[in-house]
Amino acid sequence: MSHWADAAPDDEYAEQSFVRPYTITQGRTSSARNDLTLITVIATVVASGEEPSTRGLQPEHRLILQQCRTPVALAEVAAELNLPVAVTKILVSDLITLGRVTARAPLAVETGQGLDMTLLQAVKDGLLRL
């Protein structure tokens, strides 16, 4: 009898939950970009004219494009996808490289103003959903 036959259903679920992110990221364990943080604002690039093709993109990439039609903090994207932040960073990095999304610091940080409490609350809410 194998070790796997003795495994509890929770053990099998835990193993699958590790395999899925590994598959989604094609084995990559870190993002090519080190400037993506929990409060980085991600926005889908909308070109005038026809809708760009999503051919060759994974379902998670498509979900990010759809979710970020309105600018969203990276933490919220991860929470909505129900994926670890590290995996979400890799997927967002892919989309930045393809020119499909932009990433920027929150406006309050960019302009040197005080912290935007609504953004911090949104990040907190996103983290709590993880």
Side-chain angles (χ1 to χ4, degrees):
M1 187 183 280
S2 79
H3 168 71
W4 297 111
D6 296 334
D10 290 339
D11 293 340
E12 185 176 326
Y13 176 76
E15 180 183 326
Q16 289 174 355
S17 68
F18 287 116
V19 171
R20 182 171 175 258
Y22 183 83
T23 303
I24 291 169
T25 62
Q26 300 170 342
R28 295 171 291 166
T29 57
S30 63
S31 170
R33 301 177 59 99
N34 60 4
D35 61 337
L36 298 175
T37 67
L38 292 175
I39 61 171
T40 299
V41 177
I42 311 300
T44 301
V45 173
V46 181
S48 60
E50 64 185 57
E51 186 74 21
S53 172
T54 57
R55 188 192 221 157
L57 296 178
Q58 295 183 41
E60 291 79 10
H61 286 122
R62 291 183 186 113
L63 289 170
I64 292 169
L65 291 173
Q66 188 174 35
Q67 182 183 2
C68 295
R69 289 178 190 261
T70 302
V72 180
L74 185 104
E76 291 182 84
V77 175
E80 185 67 28
L81 293 175
N82 197 26
L83 288 173
V85 171
V87 172
T88 305
K89 284 181 179 183
I90 293 169
L91 297 173
V92 167
S93 179
D94 292 344
L95 292 170
I96 292 169
T97 300
L98 294 171
R100 303 297 300 273
V101 298
T102 59
R104 63 169 173 77
L107 291 178
V109 174
E110 283 184 350
T111 60
Q113 298 173 357
L115 293 175
D116 179 359
M117 294 310 289
T118 56
L119 176 64
L120 290 177
Q121 184 63 45
V123 170
K124 178 184 171 189
D125 294 343
L127 290 172
L128 290 174
R129 287 191 302 235
L130 291 176

